[in-house]
Amino acid sequence: MLCEVDIVDAHQHFINLPDLAYPWIDNRPTALTALLPNYYDAARRYVPQDYRAQVDGIPVTASVACEFGAADGVAEAIWVQECADRVGGPDAFIAAVQLESADLAGVLARYRDLPVVQAVRQPLYWADDPAKRLGARGDYLSDPDWLCGFEKVAEAGLVWDLLVYDEQLPDAHELIAAFPDTTFVLEAVGWPVDLTAEGFSRWEERLGAVSRFPNVVLKFQGIALIFGTSLDAIGRWVRAAVGIFGAGRCMFASHYPIDHLLWDGETMVSTVEAALADLPSDEQALFFGETARRVYRLPAAGDPG
């Protein structure tokens, strides 16, 4: 158990039902139940107090909340800012954008007025298998209108959370190279689609290629969802990813409330800790907290900001 390490949870969600609408809850796309049969057990009101209750017992000192598919992304961000002002958390927020949208400039302007917003994202997950299509289209990375939208995000100085499967990573290289001053956070350990031995090798190769861009950081949310909860299930993936990127470019994350359907906080932390048992203490501090504080511009541990 990590009793003395400053843990920053770099990715968790809130659900503000019934005040906000969530199309994914109303429409129940099959891609989500294909991912986890009981996914919708988490489709209920989930606010900062609920999150704190689920991480009670582990030393989480800060958290980064992430948009969760609300119909009105700006309203979601405003509510998260109100939560941060009222209860002191979350410490940062990854807000929703649609880069091809005509009102993108207005949305970004609204986000500039919300100090909690430090990053934005848009789901790009696309695969040949329809059950794995979590994005709206498969051609965003080559769409001129979408790329023009990305220029506005870069100009705003926001972090970009990148949601792609590992097989999409080569298509993202040109975008990453074109914006060297923008930090790209590759979510879900570069989400490998194929978990076989051959898939592991291809994922390692693709992760190694994207790690050569110094403006890319890796986030470890959803590892229970993707790999399972045992040390045997997650160990080689976690160790390989940290070995490729280095702890200073890796961030621990819970992906709660979804991954709480699979493991509790103490099991999550102790299992990840066991996977990285050979990592020196200073590198564990980077992985579990310091990298996220740097990337999402959080105050240093113990500093009220």
Side-chain angles (χ1 to χ4, degrees):
M1 183 64 190
L2 292 174
C3 296
E4 299 179 359
V5 172
D6 165 41
I7 295 181
V8 175
D9 184 349
H11 195 104
Q12 45 92 188
H13 297 288
F14 294 127
I15 303 176
N16 186 21
L17 288 172
D19 298 327
L20 295 176
Y22 295 84
W24 64 271
I25 294 178
D26 296 333
N27 301 333
R28 300 200 167 220
T30 56
L32 296 179
T33 50
L35 183 62
L36 183 66
N38 65 328
Y39 193 99
Y40 283 94
D41 287 354
R44 55 182 174 78
R45 184 170 176 83
Y46 186 81
V47 297
Q49 295 89 331
D50 300 310
Y51 168 73
R52 293 306 311 182
Q54 289 189 341
V55 298
D56 185 40
I58 59 176
V60 173
T61 58
S63 74
V64 179
C66 182
E67 64 86 19
F68 208 17
D72 187 336
V74 171
E76 181 183 33
I78 290 171
W79 174 74
V80 170
Q81 182 68 64
E82 292 170 351
C83 290
D85 294 340
R86 185 174 65 253
V87 301
D91 301 87
F93 184 58
I94 305 158
V97 288
Q98 296 289 324
L99 297 192
E100 73 280 20
S101 172
D103 66 347
L104 175 64
V107 168
L108 294 176
R110 297 293 302 278
Y111 289 162
R112 281 195 294 271
D113 294 332
L114 303 174
V116 76
V117 176
Q118 295 294 330
V120 291
R121 75 170 193 170
Q122 179 177 358
L124 306 181
Y125 293 124
W126 194 262
D128 291 337
D129 182 355
K132 296 184 182 298
R133 294 176 183 173
L134 298 173
R137 287 167 33 198
D139 63 344
Y140 282 126
L141 290 169
S142 61
D143 177 56
D145 291 336
W146 192 89
L147 294 170
C148 285
F150 197 93
E151 292 180 4
K152 293 181 175 66
V153 169
E155 290 167 1
L158 292 163
V159 173
W160 178 261
D161 263 47
L162 179 63
L163 290 83
V164 292
Y165 291 123
D166 67 324
E167 59 191 22
Q168 295 174 276
L169 279 173
D171 294 333
H173 288 188
E174 186 173 346
L175 175 69
I176 295 166
F179 295 94
D181 295 327
T182 296
T183 297
F184 290 78
V185 175
L186 178 56
E187 292 197 8
V189 206
W191 201 326
V193 173
D194 181 359
L195 301 185
T196 66
E198 294 78 10
F200 179 84
S201 296
R202 286 191 293 269
W203 167 80
E204 274 192 308
E205 182 179 348
R206 291 162 178 161
L207 215 57
V210 79
S211 75
R212 298 187 184 104
F213 296 99
N215 55 327
V216 179
V217 180
L218 196 62
K219 184 155 63 177
F220 284 63
Q221 100 273 15
I223 57 176
L225 191 66
I226 300 168
F227 306 118
T229 58
S230 71
L231 180 58
D232 286 344
I234 72 164
R236 64 172 182 158
W237 300 91
V238 170
R239 286 189 293 271
V242 174
I244 290 168
F245 269 83
R249 294 169 64 196
C250 291
M251 296 185 287
F252 170 82
S254 73
H255 196 232
Y256 278 13
I258 301 302
D259 278 37
H260 194 265
L261 298 173
L262 297 164
W263 56 8
D264 60 66
E266 293 188 7
T267 302
M268 171 179 62
V269 172
S270 62
T271 305
V272 176
E273 178 191 24
L276 298 176
D278 293 336
L279 210 62
S281 59
D282 59 335
E283 294 187 28
Q284 289 203 19
L286 288 168
F287 175 86
F288 280 101
E290 292 174 12
T291 301
R293 288 190 181 275
R294 171 178 59 82
V295 169
Y296 290 114
R297 304 165 184 140
L298 308 183
D303 182 352

